[in-house]
């Protein structure tokens, strides 16, 4: 906003920098109020939703039952705490607690990594789909 401080009008400043006059007005007000042009913090800051009071309870519950899903935890919260919450809200709380999402139990993850699970390997040939069998033209 040095351009305005040099005595130029808001309209000429807007034209020079190809922005709206309202933007220039807002920047001048922001600089006067804060002494700088840093943007205001966005979002609501988090941590004050209806689940924030249950952080300790959720952490203890997950420690007791490690395979509890977000949907299952939402059901338990409804049953024990009398509070209806969406599983997405529960998932955000779990993420804030530093918990990660595992698609398979640990034993199945290690089996798949070692090649003992039902996960196909890249070095195995996949079955042919079209035209590679002798009886590929046969209708079944």
């Amino acid at each position: 906003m040095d351009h305005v401080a040099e005595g130029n009008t808001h309209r000429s400043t807007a034209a020079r920098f190809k922005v709206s006059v309202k933007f220039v007005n807002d920047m001048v007000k922001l600089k006067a109020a804060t002494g700088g042009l840093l943007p205001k913090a966005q979002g609501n800051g988090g941590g004050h939703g209806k689940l924030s009071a249950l952080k300790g309870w959720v952490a203890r519950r997950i420690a007791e039952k490690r395979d509890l899903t977000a949907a299952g935890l939402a059901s338990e919260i409804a049953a024990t705490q009398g509070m209806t919450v969406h599983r997405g809200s529960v998932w955000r709380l779990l993420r804030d607690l530093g918990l990660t999402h595992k698609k398979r139990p640990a034993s199945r993850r290690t089996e798949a990594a070692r090649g003992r699970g039902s996960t196909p390997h890249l070095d195995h040939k996949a079955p042919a789909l079209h035209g590679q069998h002798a009886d590929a033209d046969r209708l079944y």
Side-chain angles (χ1 to χ4, degrees):
M1 297 294 71
D2 294 335
H3 198 258
V4 173
E6 292 170 358
N8 295 294
T9 65
H10 292 200
R11 188 176 306 270
S12 68
T13 301
R16 180 179 188 319
F17 293 103
K18 296 182 179 159
V19 296
S20 69
V21 176
K22 182 181 180 333
F23 179 78
V24 174
N25 292 341
D26 290 346
M27 293 299 105
V28 169
K29 287 178 188 175
L30 180 62
K31 181 141 187 183
T34 64
L37 296 176
L38 292 175
K40 295 177 185 176
Q42 293 186 356
N44 63 11
H48 56 272
K50 63 182 177 180
L51 286 177
S52 64
L54 298 179
K55 271 188 175 182
W57 182 85
V58 168
R60 287 188 301 277
R61 189 65 189 114
I62 292 295
E64 293 168 4
K65 189 174 180 185
R66 299 291 301 173
D67 62 342
L68 198 58
T69 64
L73 196 52
S75 296
E76 283 194 17
I77 290 171
T80 61
Q81 307 295 319
M83 184 184 306
T84 303
V85 295
H86 190 271
R87 61 184 157 80
S89 300
V90 173
W91 170 240
R92 282 188 296 277
L93 176 66
L94 295 173
R95 186 187 61 209
D96 290 346
L97 290 171
L99 299 172
T100 59
H101 175 68
K102 302 290 186 213
K103 293 184 179 181
R104 292 181 276 180
S107 62
R108 291 201 52 222
R109 281 194 312 273
T110 55
E111 285 175 5
R114 292 181 186 151
R116 287 186 262 158
S118 60
T119 306
H121 294 281
L122 295 177
D123 57 340
H124 291 170
K125 297 224 185 250
L129 297 177
H130 298 290
Q132 294 183 6
H133 286 102
D135 55 351
D137 294 330
R138 184 183 304 164
L139 296 174
Y140 291 94

